[in-house]
Amino acid sequence: MAAALRALSAPSPVAWRLARWAARGAGIGLVALPLGLALAVALSEAGQPAAWQALRDDPQTGPALRSSLVSGLGSTLIATALSLWLTTCLWAHPRWTALQRRLPAMLAVPHAALAIGLLLLWMPGGWIARLLAPLAGWDVPPDWTTVNDPHALALTLALVLKETPFLLWTIAALLARPDVAPRLRQQLALGRSLGYTPAQVWWRVVWPGWGGALVWPVAAVAAYGLTVVDMALVLGPGAPPTLAVLAWQWLLDADPLRNAQGAAAACVLVGVMAVGAGVGLALWRVLRPVRQAWSVRGPRHSVIPAQAGTHARNGRWRSWVPACAGMTEGGLAALWLAAGLALVVASVSGVWRFPALWPTVWTLAAWTQVGAAAGTLWTTLAVALVASALSVALVVLWLEATPPAWDRAATAVALVPVVVPGLLLMVGVYRIALALRLDGTFAGLALVHAWMALPYVLVTLLPAWRRFDPRHAWVAQTLGRSRLALAWQVKGPLLAAPLASALAVGFAVSVGQYLPTLFIGAGRLATVTTEAVTLSAGGQRATGAAFAVLQALLPLLGFALAGMVGRAQAVRP
């Protein structure tokens, strides 16, 4: 025993220390270095004065930028407000538990699949118009611009539907932290004892105190909304499209000046996001005295109800608010379900005349075409499996090689690809891939997908990995087990569920990648995501819907397998 204790207290072997530094170098070299290079290359390409002059003189720039502002910033504001309101009304309510159970399935569905499903619902000949046709007396689809509208309203609503579950999932993860949940209950109990309603405590104390924790997810939502291309191709305006779609088209042009113009447009979107963040931060600081005064003042109810009528009215009001929030949350879930059902029906529909609610002819022709493109499915699976495994391996190496004190800085660096508009990053990544001759190769595509999945994998795995009880390692080392045996026989089995979840997250992120596949795939490698968007934007709705169903099923299958691992670990004695 004494020898074992001496081994535990002795400094780490030289080989182990070298391995830790090698892992740290690999983490920096494979994450931070490409990130810096990509941004530098993109900014240098956008630095040509002729590109900015061409961007300024292009008549499409102004309307396209306006559409991007409406869809990107508008959807961010609406999704954030909706998430905060739903949390305020439903937390500690049975519907909150039901909502949390639905969130993983919503997150697993890629953006493009949801956009195609909503297109089939909202378009003039879609299901909603078919349901209204008997009431309105329509024999032909109404002449309404419900999708691809010039004001980008359909795209804005679709982004709200997709990003609200992400923000709710982030908030739920925050509220479930061991250091947060007890404090929240104390704040609510203290506020109630002082005569404040739970909603007053949330808006006056809880949300202002946790505003900093929500900056990263809200910034990620804004970055995605400003530079989204796949959803904009399906639901966004067409003439002109959003500025992100314009920049993407210019970046794919054979003319170098057009490429530089596209990089400049991507920089404009980054500037918009930076200005928005600066304005938000300035307002947050300038309005601090007002917020503080509002937090400690304002009407409140007496601890002892003075009048039975007032108390009854307040009780009725408090019961109506969760009911409204529950109906709103139920409406969002119903839209998601209807979009999925529309995808499935459209993928097997043949002749489907308006205003028939169901197809007249059912056919598997679209799935036959999907089967003929089996190579696309295998490419998607292979890239996603390699990318998810690589990203999980890198994150595990990093967590094993670094102390917990590095987590905050490492997370901030890893999250940069999430909050920096992807279009700008892809400009630099594509140029680097060209220089390294990785464009159009499986290795290059898998590496870039792993790079994009790594932030999500890190956020998923980090809490569970850091909560691992070190006494297990001490016991194993006391018994003379090597570090490799400790990782393989002790740590791996105990953390099997978080590892499986991280693999599923990486897999889902890889399947949903659109821009990286277009740029790095270089037209030689296609995935179900690129095929679904291309076919749907080109008017081939049935085949596009079939690919979209496949695109949604693959991540769901991954999360189902991860759930099986978690349940098996939970019942293990």
Side-chain angles (χ1 to χ4, degrees):
M1 177 62 74
L5 291 175
R6 281 197 299 273
L8 282 176
S9 59
S12 301
V14 175
W16 172 243
R17 278 185 285 175
L18 289 176
R20 293 179 67 178
W21 280 108
R24 294 172 185 177
I28 296 172
L30 293 175
V31 177
L33 191 59
L35 179 63
L37 280 176
L39 289 176
V41 170
L43 293 175
S44 67
E45 185 162 340
Q48 303 178 29
W52 289 94
Q53 186 174 355
L55 181 65
R56 185 197 62 188
D57 296 339
D58 197 310
Q60 301 180 94
T61 302
L65 178 59
R66 186 167 57 249
S67 297
S68 293
L69 290 174
V70 170
S71 59
L73 299 184
S75 64
T76 302
L77 291 175
I78 296 172
T80 304
L82 188 58
S83 303
L84 297 182
W85 180 67
L86 287 175
T87 306
T88 301
C89 298
L90 297 181
W91 189 81
H93 192 274
R95 293 196 73 105
W96 179 252
T97 306
L99 172 63
Q100 285 184 287
R101 283 199 296 266
R102 283 195 287 268
L103 288 179
M106 293 179 173
L107 292 174
V109 176
H111 291 75
L114 176 67
I116 296 169
L118 294 175
L119 172 72
L120 296 171
L121 279 181
W122 294 344
M123 64 184 188
W127 251 0
I128 293 179
R130 292 171 188 271
L131 284 171
L132 296 176
L135 302 175
W138 294 333
D139 294 326
V140 295
D143 188 17
W144 292 352
T145 309
T146 51
V147 293
N148 307 119
D149 59 290
H151 303 293
L153 298 180
L155 178 59
T156 304
L157 185 54
L159 285 169
V160 170
L161 284 174
K162 182 57 183 168
E163 301 303 345
T164 300
F166 169 72
L167 291 174
L168 285 171
W169 176 76
T170 307
I171 293 171
L174 174 67
L175 298 182
R177 279 171 37 183
D179 59 326
V180 171
R183 189 175 59 180
L184 173 60
R185 293 191 183 89
Q186 291 173 0
Q187 289 173 331
L188 291 173
L190 181 60
R192 194 178 300 113
S193 68
L194 294 174
Y196 291 103
T197 64
Q200 287 176 313
V201 177
W202 277 98
W203 292 112
R204 292 169 186 270
V205 179
V206 177
W207 293 130
W210 291 348
L214 299 177
V215 168
W216 283 101
V218 173
V221 169
Y224 183 83
L226 282 170
T227 60
V228 62
V229 173
D230 49 1
M231 294 183 78
L233 285 173
V234 177
L235 292 170
T242 62
L243 190 57
V245 175
L246 268 184
W248 167 69
Q249 293 172 349
W250 291 334
L251 287 168
L252 294 179
D253 200 288
D255 184 1
L257 180 58
R258 282 286 190 182
N259 295 161
Q261 186 177 344
C267 286
V268 168
L269 293 173
V270 176
V272 167
M273 186 175 167
V275 170
V279 170
L281 182 62
L283 286 176
W284 181 263
R285 291 186 174 177
V286 168
L287 297 178
R288 178 178 294 173
V290 179
R291 288 188 291 108
Q292 290 176 343
W294 185 68
S295 298
V296 299
R297 297 174 188 169
R300 60 179 177 175
H301 307 292
S302 174
V303 177
I304 302 174
Q307 298 180 6
T310 303
H311 184 69
R313 285 195 298 273
N314 292 332
R316 286 196 296 272
W317 169 251
R318 286 194 292 271
S319 65
W320 268 103
V321 172
C324 291
M327 286 190 287
T328 304
E329 186 270 328
L332 294 178
L335 265 178
W336 273 79
L337 189 63
L341 186 60
L343 279 179
V344 174
V345 172
S347 70
V348 292
S349 65
V351 178
W352 194 359
R353 294 186 178 87
F354 192 88
L357 197 56
W358 299 98
T360 310
V361 177
W362 302 83
T363 175
L364 293 176
W367 286 100
T368 304
Q369 295 183 39
V370 171
T376 301
L377 174 61
W378 294 123
T379 301
T380 306
L381 284 173
V383 169
L385 288 173
V386 172
S388 57
L390 184 59
S391 58
V392 170
L394 281 173
V395 168
V396 168
L397 278 176
W398 178 263
L399 292 175
E400 281 292 298
T402 57
W406 289 24
D407 288 350
R408 182 182 291 271
T411 304
V413 173
L415 287 178
V416 170
V418 179
V419 297
V420 172
L423 199 58
L424 184 67
L425 276 180
M426 282 305 110
V427 175
V429 169
Y430 179 58
R431 297 293 179 254
I432 295 173
L434 281 177
L436 298 176
R437 297 185 178 180
L438 288 173
D439 61 304
T441 66
F442 178 86
L445 188 59
L447 276 175
V448 173
H449 276 215
W451 191 61
M452 298 301 293
L454 197 138
Y456 301 94
V457 171
L458 176 64
V459 171
T460 304
L461 197 53
L462 190 144
W465 204 269
R466 290 307 187 203
R467 283 201 301 266
F468 180 76
D469 192 343
R471 289 174 295 183
H472 294 298
W474 298 343
V475 172
Q477 292 181 23
T478 304
L479 296 175
R481 309 298 294 177
S482 66
R483 293 183 184 275
L484 186 60
L486 167 66
W488 184 253
Q489 298 176 347
V490 179
K491 209 166 188 177
L494 288 175
L495 295 175
L499 284 169
S501 297
L503 279 170
V505 168
F507 185 85
V509 172
S510 173
V511 169
Q513 292 299 313
Y514 181 71
L515 282 179
T517 307
L518 280 182
F519 278 97
I520 308 302
R524 281 167 276 174
L525 294 172
T527 63
V528 293
T529 300
T530 57
E531 290 296 306
V533 174
T534 303
L535 292 169
S536 298
Q540 300 183 46
R541 302 282 161 71
T543 314
F547 271 106
V549 170
L550 202 57
Q551 187 200 15
L553 283 180
L554 290 177
L556 289 173
L557 179 63
F559 280 105
L561 292 174
M564 290 172 62
V565 173
R567 286 191 291 274
Q569 189 180 26
V571 301
R572 185 178 299 170

